[in-house]
Amino acid sequence: MKRRSRRGRFYGALAGAVVAALTAGGCGAGGGTGSAATSSRPTPTGATPSTAPSATADAAAWHKWGLTPLPAAPQPPADKPVKLSATGTVPVFTHIPTSQKVVFITIDDGAEKDPKFIEMMRDLKVPITMFLMNDAIKPNYAYFRQLQAMGNHIQNHTLHHPAMNTVSLARQKEEVCGDQKVLTQQYGTAPLLFRPPYGAYNSDTKIAVGECGPRAIVWWRESMQISNLQYQEADKKLRPGDIILAHFRGPTELKGTTMTRMFGNMLKHIQEQGFAVARLEDYIQPPAR
Ligand SMILES: [Zn+2]
């Protein structure tokens, strides 16, 4: 796999913290894509979980998948904690500054297209953000439309998944602008965010991203493996506003574990720490056009 052959020099070019995160599962072991879903459990006050009649039905849906329901997500702040500009250097985020006890799930690449995951997302209504890479999704663009129809946003993750810090500015622009064009055509809306493959980027990446349309680079603080979350902090705890990286992966990449099982494992870690899952795009204000 050409992806694997690049890993050696790619790792060598990165700082220690980045290497740790990548070893943990960035897109290094096979790439990733993200998807997002809508929450159907809005809270009127933003302070307390919903106790609406749908709570019982929600619990049954979670139990179907062997899971305990997460707390309902609070209302996102009216004053968005992240405000993006139409001009200037694109910022890089690993988390969203918020005191709300929420985390954000991002899913990269798009290789695995498990119909059971669609069913799971319809049942659980957990919001996700998808960072889709064209080589992975082009056999079946329609799969991701089903997740988009639930309210989940589709974001940019390049055409071919190169380590951006190893290729020219011109190639980086081809990768970002190319994926931007495909995703806009296929999904009807231009991505606002970009995630670099393997988390690898340089100053040219910021230039390419800015010129191709996305207005921010999104990194992460935790990455989901098969059963466990890999944390960057030594205390191994989620923090308010953390962005979690996962991938569309199936049994071939997960040692026999399915996408839905992996995703359920991740939700258990989030539930055990008392966090809700919120929609990343609800905390980000796009630039005024
Ligand atoms: Zn990836």
Side-chain angles (χ1 to χ4, degrees):
M1 301 278 291
K2 71 181 172 183
R3 220 175 264 160
R4 288 186 187 281
S5 69
R6 285 184 179 147
R7 287 169 80 184
R9 68 189 159 107
F10 166 63
Y11 283 165
L14 294 174
V18 176
V19 171
L22 292 168
T23 306
C27 294
T33 327
S35 72
T38 47
S39 170
S40 67
R41 294 170 281 123
T43 52
T45 65
T48 36
S50 170
T51 52
S54 63
T56 304
D58 282 354
W62 286 75
H63 293 155
K64 169 183 166 184
W65 296 93
L67 300 168
T68 302
L70 294 179
Q75 290 278 21
D79 184 28
K80 306 303 181 196
V82 170
K83 297 176 176 64
L84 299 181
S85 169
T87 57
T89 304
V90 298
V92 181
F93 297 100
T94 61
H95 67 286
I96 297 293
T98 180
S99 58
Q100 293 181 344
K101 202 168 181 184
V102 297
V103 293
F104 306 94
I105 295 175
T106 62
I107 314 184
D108 283 12
D109 296 348
E112 178 72 359
K113 301 166 190 70
D114 184 350
K116 296 292 279 184
F117 184 64
I118 303 289
E119 178 185 340
M120 184 183 206
M121 299 308 292
R122 283 202 181 107
D123 286 345
L124 304 186
K125 301 176 175 60
V126 173
I128 55 175
T129 296
M130 297 173 271
F131 288 89
L132 300 181
M133 185 262 289
N134 191 51
D135 277 352
I137 65 172
K138 63 185 179 184
N140 189 356
Y141 290 118
Y143 177 84
F144 302 95
R145 282 192 201 106
Q146 300 173 79
L147 296 165
Q148 182 190 31
M150 299 174 202
N152 301 308
H153 292 249
I154 289 171
Q155 307 291 2
N156 191 316
H157 193 49
T158 75
L159 286 174
H160 308 298
H161 213 269
M164 297 290 263
N165 61 345
T166 67
V167 299
S168 68
L169 172 59
R171 169 78 192 283
Q172 294 197 44
K173 286 171 68 173
E174 288 174 12
E175 290 287 340
V176 183
C177 289
D179 202 42
Q180 191 80 356
K181 183 178 179 183
V182 169
L183 295 177
T184 303
Q185 287 176 341
Q186 289 293 329
Y187 301 107
T189 181
L192 178 64
L193 309 173
F194 174 77
R195 171 165 285 150
Y198 316 99
Y201 63 90
N202 58 19
S203 56
D204 282 350
T205 313
K206 295 181 180 181
I207 295 170
V209 170
E211 292 188 1
C212 293
R215 292 311 312 166
I217 292 173
V218 178
W219 233 77
W220 61 88
R221 272 201 172 153
E222 287 82 30
S223 68
M224 183 61 197
Q225 311 302 303
I226 300 172
S227 301
N228 296 316
L229 272 175
Q230 179 113 16
Y231 298 84
Q232 293 194 48
E233 301 292 335
D235 64 4
K236 298 192 173 184
K237 287 180 179 171
L238 295 171
R239 288 169 165 72
D242 277 2
I243 295 168
I244 301 173
L245 167 68
H247 294 87
F248 285 97
R249 287 178 179 159
T252 306
E253 298 84 17
L254 300 177
K255 300 180 181 176
T257 297
T258 59
M259 173 86 187
T260 56
R261 177 64 66 92
M262 176 278 292
F263 198 82
N265 292 340
M266 177 168 58
L267 294 177
K268 284 179 189 171
H269 293 297
I270 296 169
Q271 187 269 330
E272 286 166 1
Q273 296 179 61
F275 279 80
V277 176
R279 182 180 312 289
L280 179 61
E281 289 81 0
D282 287 347
Y283 288 70
I284 297 174
Q285 183 174 303
R289 302 274 183 190

